[in-house]
Amino acid sequence: MTNTSTDHAPTPAGPSPSGSLVLRPLAYHRLLLSSAQGARWWRPLAVVGATVGLYFAFVLPLLIVTVVAMEGTFGDRWIPTPELSDPSKPADMVVGLGMIALMVPAAALGMRWAGRAPGILHSVRRRVRWELLLRAGVVLLPLYALVNTAQFLVAPPADLAWPTVNAHTLLLYVLFVLLVPLQCAGEEYVFRGLPLQVFGTWLRSPLWGILIPVPFFVLAHGYDWVGQIDIAVFAVCMGALTWKSGGLECAIVLHTANNLTLFLLTTFSASSTLEQGAVDPMLLLISLPVTLGSTAWIWWWVSRRYGVRALEPVVEVARRGAACA
């Protein structure tokens, strides 16, 4: 999977006609090497440490508010459950999804301040490529809405019913739409972006950054062995897409397309819960082909959109150095 033409530190590739040095463009997993400071061996460790510290600093106020809410200070509606797994309770959604969403600013700022490389976690363009994200979403959101709704209807809950149209239901929909994409982004920044760029600073192959985080991502979910197979395949696909597309956008939108439709469907059953446990093995016959098929489509689409070969990643635009003497 390694692209030998793009995975080295930025060395001068030769003078341009104007007399300035053109630096070799880098793949996503090697972007910390774009500066002499980022190339230092200890820099990735500083990024991880800063990210962890910032995350706890961001989460602490939310935990304090949660403890206050559990005393009934804000009313019964805002008392979260201990498991934070009830999709019908706004407090569970704010706390549960919000804690994961805070990984986004923690990772981005950790890379900016400790890595001295602002923006590289987003993409090789050092920003979120909104046009890429939105175009992928136009295809993936309807696809996952169709697949997840079909699975929901094949084995519907006993209390399946249209949700009551009231302020409570509307609030839940607003929270889902606002927080689920951020929750998915948080997991992608921490389990895909950071590992790829941390290990990519020391090791040329992106496989280290793709595969090493997979067991941790799997253990972060409470499914049985069937569900863990699904999670592991998903994690590998998202890591590979991040490397291939040169950023986190495609992985975030695919993750969001799946999770958002599942959250929205919970409003059709009062007994719905987000607790993770046993998974019907037959569901793998649906989920795995959809994950692998979506990944293959994005892989092909990105290759065509950016004009790169099948096993070649999207890289940053070549940068110019100081003028030659």
Side-chain angles (χ1 to χ4, degrees):
M1 187 176 287
T2 304
N3 177 24
T4 56
S5 65
T6 59
D7 64 357
H8 297 288
T11 55
S16 69
S18 62
S20 62
L21 292 177
V22 179
L23 301 182
R24 187 194 307 274
L26 295 169
Y28 178 84
H29 69 296
R30 302 287 273 176
L31 285 179
L32 255 180
L33 297 175
S34 59
S35 68
Q37 291 183 334
R40 295 172 180 171
W41 69 268
W42 52 266
R43 185 67 68 181
L45 300 178
V47 171
V48 173
T51 298
V52 172
L54 286 167
Y55 178 70
F56 281 110
F58 293 154
V59 165
L60 184 59
L62 182 59
L63 293 178
I64 292 174
V65 172
T66 302
V67 172
V68 174
M70 293 182 74
E71 300 297 326
T73 305
F74 307 125
D76 294 342
R77 177 182 296 181
W78 294 99
I79 299 178
T81 64
E83 298 81 12
L84 300 175
S85 61
D86 188 345
S88 68
K89 294 187 72 67
D92 279 25
M93 298 300 95
V94 170
V95 178
L97 297 176
M99 289 179 65
I100 302 175
L102 289 173
M103 293 178 178
V104 176
L109 291 175
M111 183 63 75
R112 182 185 186 92
W113 293 339
R116 304 291 181 88
I120 68 169
L121 266 182
H122 305 313
S123 75
V124 292
R125 292 291 182 89
R126 288 172 167 75
R127 62 174 177 82
V128 176
R129 296 168 295 179
W130 292 104
E131 68 285 355
L132 185 69
L133 187 149
L134 294 175
R135 291 193 180 213
V138 168
V139 174
L140 294 174
L141 280 169
L143 171 64
Y144 275 86
L146 178 63
V147 171
N148 287 334
T149 301
Q151 291 186 81
F152 187 77
L153 294 177
V154 167
D159 59 350
L160 176 66
W162 286 100
T164 304
V165 180
N166 55 27
H168 179 81
T169 303
L170 179 61
L171 175 60
L172 288 175
Y173 282 143
V174 171
L175 291 177
F176 292 157
V177 171
L178 291 179
L179 293 178
V180 170
L182 293 175
Q183 172 249 329
C184 295
E187 293 185 357
E188 295 306 318
Y189 273 76
V190 167
F191 287 101
R192 253 66 76 179
L194 270 180
L196 270 167
Q197 295 188 346
V198 164
F199 289 107
T201 305
W202 302 319
L203 304 164
R204 293 181 178 179
S205 174
L207 286 175
W208 299 98
I210 292 172
L211 298 179
I212 289 177
V214 171
F216 300 98
F217 188 68
V218 168
L219 291 174
H221 296 77
Y223 296 109
D224 65 356
W225 68 270
V226 177
Q228 300 294 29
I229 290 175
D230 195 21
I231 293 296
V233 171
F234 180 86
V236 172
C237 288
M238 295 308 98
L241 280 182
T242 299
W243 170 79
K244 170 65 178 179
S245 64
L248 291 166
E249 299 92 348
C250 290
I252 289 173
V253 74
L254 195 155
H255 200 156
T256 299
N258 180 64
N259 285 20
L260 181 57
T261 53
L262 291 175
F263 271 87
L264 293 174
L265 286 170
T266 62
T267 59
F268 288 83
S269 170
S271 63
S272 292
T273 177
L274 299 176
E275 290 186 6
Q276 300 169 351
V279 176
D280 186 349
M282 293 299 293
L283 291 179
L284 289 180
L285 298 178
I286 300 175
S287 61
L288 290 183
V290 172
T291 298
L292 294 171
S294 299
T295 300
W297 173 76
I298 294 175
W299 196 282
W300 169 84
W301 176 63
V302 166
S303 297
R304 184 174 179 180
R305 177 179 175 85
Y306 289 96
V308 295
R309 290 172 293 183
L311 298 181
E312 183 180 37
V314 176
V315 298
E316 63 177 342
V317 178
R319 293 158 291 114
R320 296 185 180 277
C324 297

